[in-house]
């Protein structure tokens, strides 16, 4: 009898934890694009507007892909401030190749 009670308690406990895990997983927010997360961490929206959010000190990056190629966007990301005309954006050449490519791709494909 005790053995049956023990297994009932174990099974019930397991079921509760399993149900709780499914509820928590269902409530997870959608995953943010890694490039957008990096853009947010770097503070780009402090100066730039992206899809209606951000500052107005620098160019609006919404639809930048219609004005620049991915290669041109990447070149702007790594350019030294002194070589940029009329801008004060810092250089992001210290970022990894993957991060630079991800950001360039993301910005190029903004609607």
């Amino acid at each position: 009898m005790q053995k049956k009670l023990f297994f009932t308690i174990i099974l019930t406990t397991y079921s509760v934890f399993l149900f709780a895990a499914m509820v928590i997983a269902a409530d997870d927010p959608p995953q943010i694009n890694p490039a957008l997360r990096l853009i947010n961490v770097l503070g780009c929206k402090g100066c730039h507007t992206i899809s209606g959010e951000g500052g107005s000190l620098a160019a609006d990056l919404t639809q930048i892909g219609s004005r620049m190629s991915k290669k041109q966007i990447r070149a702007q990301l790594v350019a030294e401030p002194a070589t940029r005309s009329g801008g004060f954006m810092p250089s992001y050449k210290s970022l990894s190749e993957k991060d630079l490519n991800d950001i360039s791709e993301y910005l190029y494909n903004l609607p």
Side-chain angles (χ1 to χ4, degrees):
M1 180 82 163
Q2 283 184 333
K3 202 174 200 181
K4 189 174 185 180
L5 179 60
F6 175 76
F7 284 114
T8 303
I9 291 170
I10 295 296
L11 185 59
T12 303
T13 304
Y14 177 78
S15 298
V16 168
F17 281 114
L18 183 61
F19 179 76
M22 290 185 337
V23 169
I24 290 169
D27 289 340
D28 280 348
Q31 294 297 315
I32 187 170
N33 182 305
L36 180 56
R37 177 177 285 132
L38 191 54
I39 286 168
N40 290 336
V41 168
L42 293 171
C44 302
K45 290 182 181 178
C47 297
H48 294 279
T49 300
I50 299 174
S51 300
E53 295 180 0
S56 59
L57 294 173
D60 185 340
L61 299 179
T62 307
Q63 297 181 340
I64 188 126
S66 66
R67 302 186 302 272
M68 298 174 81
S69 69
K70 282 185 261 188
K71 187 175 181 179
Q72 290 171 318
I73 293 169
R74 189 185 183 293
Q76 285 296 311
L77 290 171
V78 298
E80 292 294 332
T83 63
R84 257 190 226 107
S85 60
F88 49 86
M89 184 176 102
S91 174
Y92 294 105
K93 67 181 177 182
S94 63
L95 292 178
S96 70
E97 287 296 314
K98 181 184 180 330
D99 288 343
L100 287 168
N101 291 335
D102 287 351
I103 293 172
S104 300
E105 179 79 24
Y106 178 83
L107 292 173
Y108 179 76
N109 289 305
L110 278 174

